[in-house]
Amino acid sequence: MNSEKRRSIDEMLKVYGSRKAPYTFRFKGEEKVMTTKRRFRPALAVSCIACLLVCAVLGVGIFAGDLFLPSESKGAVISVSAAQGEDVAVGTQRTALCRENAPLIRLSKAPSELYEDGFTAMSYSSLGFKISGEDIVSYDIKSQKGTLEYVDFKAYEEHKVNGADTEYLYFDSSFENMKPFDESDPYRFVIGWWPEFDRFNSDLRDFTGGVDRNTKNPTEEQMLSMGQAYDSLLKTAEDFTSYFGDTVTVTLHYSDGTTEVLNIEITLDENGYAYGEYEKVNEDVVVYG
Amino acid sequence: MKIDRETADRYVAVHSEELTRLCFCLCGNVADAEDLFQETWCKAFKNFDKYDVSKPFDKWLFAICVNTYKNSVKHWYNSRRFCFSTDEEQTLFLNSIPDSSGYSSVDYLELHKIICSLPKNHRVVIILKYFKDYTIEEIAQMLSLPVGTIKSRLYSAKKTIRRRFSQYEF
């Protein structure tokens, strides 16, 4: 890159940064801000139509006979969302869950990502599970290694709109008796998943002689050392799945009294992109009291 | 210290234009930018008692804006798009580039896409740097980060932009 080109990019950035906004927004007052609700309204209509279509397809499939392979779930629709991504339906085939905006980041290529609140060894967004199905009454969900988060949309919207202090996130390794996801339900919730970082950070600490991702105000040398150590670790491990991979077990309770257990395997490739697929573990008849 | 209506209106009148510009730069599309704008003002007024009046209000406000933005894109349930959601938005963007800039508006569109594709932390730093020509120290203060981190992020971001822009040109 010659100096002329370097200068021209700088000038372009100055013009880009100093351009005027096409118009100025007006503050609507604290009590009138309904940003999330407004944005969700058109999405709600589209989602409702999509849900109806899915239900119709499932209904026709069941009516026509055994549409699905024996190993597939009989009625569940499981989709996963990543930050800045779209919903991805998880099936029995390995499916990419994260798009390019949500991979793990190799630190030597982006040393500046090292810390934000102390050292942060990687950037990773949570995945959200939306579990629905025509005949599903409820489901239980459990993560073997990671952490699950329960996101209460109603409380979240209230928090966003008027800054209410209502809690909208709850963390645990399992949740039971969950209602199936329904986009039109104002009290809907979604289960999110975060990978477990402890083992990775423990190994990282060994590599870096005690400097870990929680170290505050590291020196530049420590930052560099951390980045190199991270990459060494990646080279040695070369397997994100062994660190962050997880099995999320979903037990589906159907209206006819049967249950179905699905193991959703979350794996990561060499670039840190997440994949998901499920395997049906068993199907039992359960008589409800 | 609770802010009174008159003072709040005065702050809104003075700083809305700049805040709009920052929201546009960060979000890249109208719908998300407007959401961010509203949320930033709500948070600023709610936490007005934490504002140190001896310091510039705009920097405090922009810091809230940036933090709100960073939090909002962290979770999957806030799936947001960075680039324009309609052709009209793209046209508005192209029209906002002055003719005398020496580059075509299509070049700026490419630049915009490259900036949108940067990691969040890099994007925020590069936007703050060129949005009001803030110094490294000012950005570090606004983001509560060490100066070295800002330098490093700025360097990496510009290097990525140059590399990608070269690929686009040739």
Side-chain angles (χ1 to χ4, degrees), chain A residues 184-205:
Chain A
S184 62
D185 181 359
Y187 294 94
R188 69 193 183 283
F189 61 88
V190 175
I191 299 294
W193 170 87
W194 295 86
E196 170 55 56
F197 291 111
D198 282 357
R199 192 162 72 85
F200 183 88
N201 291 329
S202 165
D203 288 357
L204 192 59
R205 201 158 41 236

Side-chain angles (χ1 to χ4, degrees), chain B residues 30-61:
Chain B
V30 175
D32 289 343
E34 187 169 14
D35 286 353
L36 181 60
F37 176 89
Q38 303 295 344
E39 286 176 51
T40 302
W41 278 122
C42 281
K43 283 188 180 173
F45 293 143
K46 193 180 174 198
N47 297 294
F48 194 72
D49 53 341
K50 292 175 188 157
Y51 167 55
D52 179 354
V53 287
S54 66
K55 291 181 178 167
F57 180 79
D58 57 348
K59 283 184 192 165
W60 182 72
L61 182 72

Side-chain angles (χ1 to χ4, degrees), chain A residues 216-264:
Chain A
K216 301 281 180 187
N217 301 318
T219 63
E220 296 217 3
E221 287 75 20
Q222 281 177 320
M223 272 178 64
L224 187 63
S225 153
M226 184 75 171
Q228 287 166 348
Y230 181 89
D231 281 350
S232 302
L233 183 59
L234 292 187
K235 205 171 177 183
T236 310
E238 282 185 348
D239 181 9
F240 284 114
T241 300
S242 71
Y243 283 103
F244 309 115
D246 195 9
T247 302
V248 176
T249 302
V250 180
T251 305
L252 302 161
H253 301 288
Y254 288 98
S255 55
D256 62 2
T258 59
T259 61
E260 193 174 39
V261 181
L262 306 178
N263 273 349
I264 302 172

Side-chain angles (χ1 to χ4, degrees), chain B residues 27-32 81-90:
Chain B
C27 299
N29 69 69
V30 175
D32 289 343
R81 304 264 172 264
F82 293 116
C83 274
F84 315 110
S85 43
T86 63
D87 290 343
E88 190 191 351
E89 282 184 30
Q90 184 168 314

Side-chain angles (χ1 to χ4, degrees), chain B:
Chain B
M1 178 176 54
K2 182 84 180 161
I3 189 166
D4 61 78
R5 181 69 189 263
E6 197 180 322
T7 315
D9 286 348
R10 203 167 57 243
Y11 277 120
V12 169
V14 172
H15 297 285
S16 279
E17 193 178 333
E18 289 283 77
L19 184 63
T20 303
R21 215 156 63 75
L22 179 60
C23 294
F24 265 116
C25 285
L26 288 170
C27 299
N29 69 69
V30 175
D32 289 343
E34 187 169 14
D35 286 353
L36 181 60
F37 176 89
Q38 303 295 344
E39 286 176 51
T40 302
W41 278 122
C42 281
K43 283 188 180 173
F45 293 143
K46 193 180 174 198
N47 297 294
F48 194 72
D49 53 341
K50 292 175 188 157
Y51 167 55
D52 179 354
V53 287
S54 66
K55 291 181 178 167
F57 180 79
D58 57 348
K59 283 184 192 165
W60 182 72
L61 182 72
F62 296 157
I64 292 176
C65 179
V66 170
N67 287 328
T68 305
Y69 167 73
K70 283 166 76 179
N71 283 334
S72 73
V73 294
K74 198 170 168 185
H75 287 83
W76 60 268
Y77 49 83
N78 247 338
S79 302
R80 292 179 180 216
R81 304 264 172 264
F82 293 116
C83 274
F84 315 110
S85 43
T86 63
D87 290 343
E88 190 191 351
E89 282 184 30
Q90 184 168 314
T91 309
L92 283 170
F93 169 82
L94 294 174
N95 291 340
S96 71
I97 303 295
D99 290 337
S100 57
S101 68
Y103 276 84
S104 73
S105 50
V106 180
D107 289 332
Y108 281 99
L109 185 59
E110 193 57 34
L111 179 68
H112 177 75
K113 286 178 185 167
I114 294 169
I115 291 175
C116 288
S117 69
L118 290 174
K120 176 183 67 180
N121 290 337
H122 291 187
R123 192 168 58 243
V124 165
V125 171
I126 204 105
I127 284 169
L128 285 177
K129 170 69 185 158
Y130 290 99
F131 160 68
K132 278 199 86 170
D133 208 16
Y134 283 128
T135 63
I136 305 278
E137 289 74 17
E138 284 173 316
I139 298 171
Q141 204 175 17
M142 285 168 72
L143 299 180
S144 304
L145 286 170
V147 169
T149 308
I150 303 299
K151 277 184 187 168
S152 164
R153 288 183 184 182
L154 198 56
Y155 173 76
S156 301
K158 283 164 87 170
K159 200 171 150 188
T160 308
I161 291 171
R162 284 197 189 101
R163 193 184 70 241
R164 292 192 188 161
F165 205 75
S166 302
Q167 288 166 352
Y168 151 73
E169 278 187 315
F170 303 109

Side-chain angles (χ1 to χ4, degrees), chain A residues 165-185:
Chain A
D165 291 330
T166 328
E167 283 293 322
Y168 59 88
L169 286 177
Y170 304 92
F171 296 92
D172 210 331
S173 61
S174 65
F175 290 98
E176 292 181 350
N177 203 20
M178 301 281 103
K179 276 192 304 180
F181 179 78
D182 176 2
E183 187 77 56
S184 62
D185 181 359

